[in-house]
Amino acid sequence: APPRGDGADTVGGVRTPKPRPPDVIRRNYEEMEAQKTQLMIAAEKQRVVEKEADTEKRRAKIEAEKMAEVSIIKKRQEIMEQEAARNISHIRDEMHRAREKAFADAEAYRIVQEAEANEQLLTPEFLEYQRYLSVSNRTKTFFGGSVDAMLGPGVASSKQEVRSGGG
């Protein structure tokens, strides 16, 4: 026979109703079940809170690691920029030094060439020519026997060489 839903069982064709516990016991049982359910709910809530805290802790750790990596990358970039600036400065210094050395070498070469040219110019003939030019550029004109003394001993001997036919 199919169950009727009235809380009775059929055993060997005999229908036996389920016993009804007294109201006090039933209420105690219901309260205990409610407390048990509340305890299970509280334990589940605590486990959820712990999982959320653990998840938040992991999230914070990942965020901190990410920030540390970004910081390391930024520091490396700063170092690379400083090294690049130092290299550029070094290159500029080398270029300036090379330019200054080239100028100094050119000036030294010019001085040496000028000295060699002056050395070739300083012949006794050129010096005598310069003396004649100097005398001819003077604004005063001297007459008389003291002119030879004014011009110096080289001029008097030159005049004698000219008179005697050149030496």
Side-chain angles (χ1 to χ4, degrees):
R4 294 190 208 180
D6 61 355
D9 287 331
T10 305
V11 178
V14 177
R15 187 169 175 265
T16 57
K18 284 191 175 182
R20 286 187 157 212
D23 286 339
V24 173
I25 294 175
R26 187 178 50 81
R27 269 188 256 130
N28 281 344
Y29 177 76
E30 286 174 356
E31 284 178 19
M32 249 183 7
E33 284 297 314
Q35 287 177 0
K36 193 174 169 182
T37 304
Q38 291 295 331
L39 184 62
M40 287 174 57
I41 290 172
E44 192 62 29
K45 280 184 181 180
Q46 183 177 358
R47 199 166 61 203
V48 167
V49 167
E50 287 174 359
K51 285 284 186 183
E52 286 176 351
D54 188 42
T55 302
E56 186 60 35
K57 183 176 161 184
R58 287 181 185 168
R59 185 177 296 131
K61 182 180 177 183
I62 290 170
E63 186 67 27
E65 288 173 355
K66 184 174 106 178
M67 289 175 64
E69 288 174 3
V70 167
S71 176
I72 289 170
I73 291 170
K74 285 183 179 180
K75 280 293 183 190
R76 286 181 185 162
Q77 185 178 7
E78 276 183 37
I79 290 169
M80 289 172 50
E81 287 174 359
Q82 289 173 353
E83 286 176 359
R86 192 176 314 123
N87 288 342
I88 289 171
S89 176
H90 180 70
I91 290 169
R92 285 184 180 156
D93 291 346
E94 285 296 317
M95 288 172 53
H96 179 72
R97 189 183 63 75
R99 190 178 310 115
E100 291 297 318
K101 185 178 183 314
F103 288 144
D105 289 348
E107 182 65 18
Y109 179 76
R110 186 190 64 75
I111 290 170
V112 167
Q113 292 300 315
E114 188 176 316
E116 288 176 3
N118 286 340
E119 189 176 312
Q120 290 176 358
L121 285 176
L122 294 178
T123 62
E125 292 84 17
F126 179 75
L127 292 175
E128 191 168 332
Y129 171 73
Q130 288 292 2
R131 189 170 44 194
Y132 286 139
L133 284 177
S134 174
V135 169
S136 69
N137 286 336
R138 290 187 185 162
T139 58
K140 294 182 180 178
T141 305
F142 296 96
F143 297 100
S146 63
V147 173
D148 287 337
M150 180 190 73
L151 293 177
V155 175
S157 63
S158 301
K159 286 184 179 179
Q160 290 174 352
E161 289 176 10
V162 170
R163 288 185 199 151
S164 64

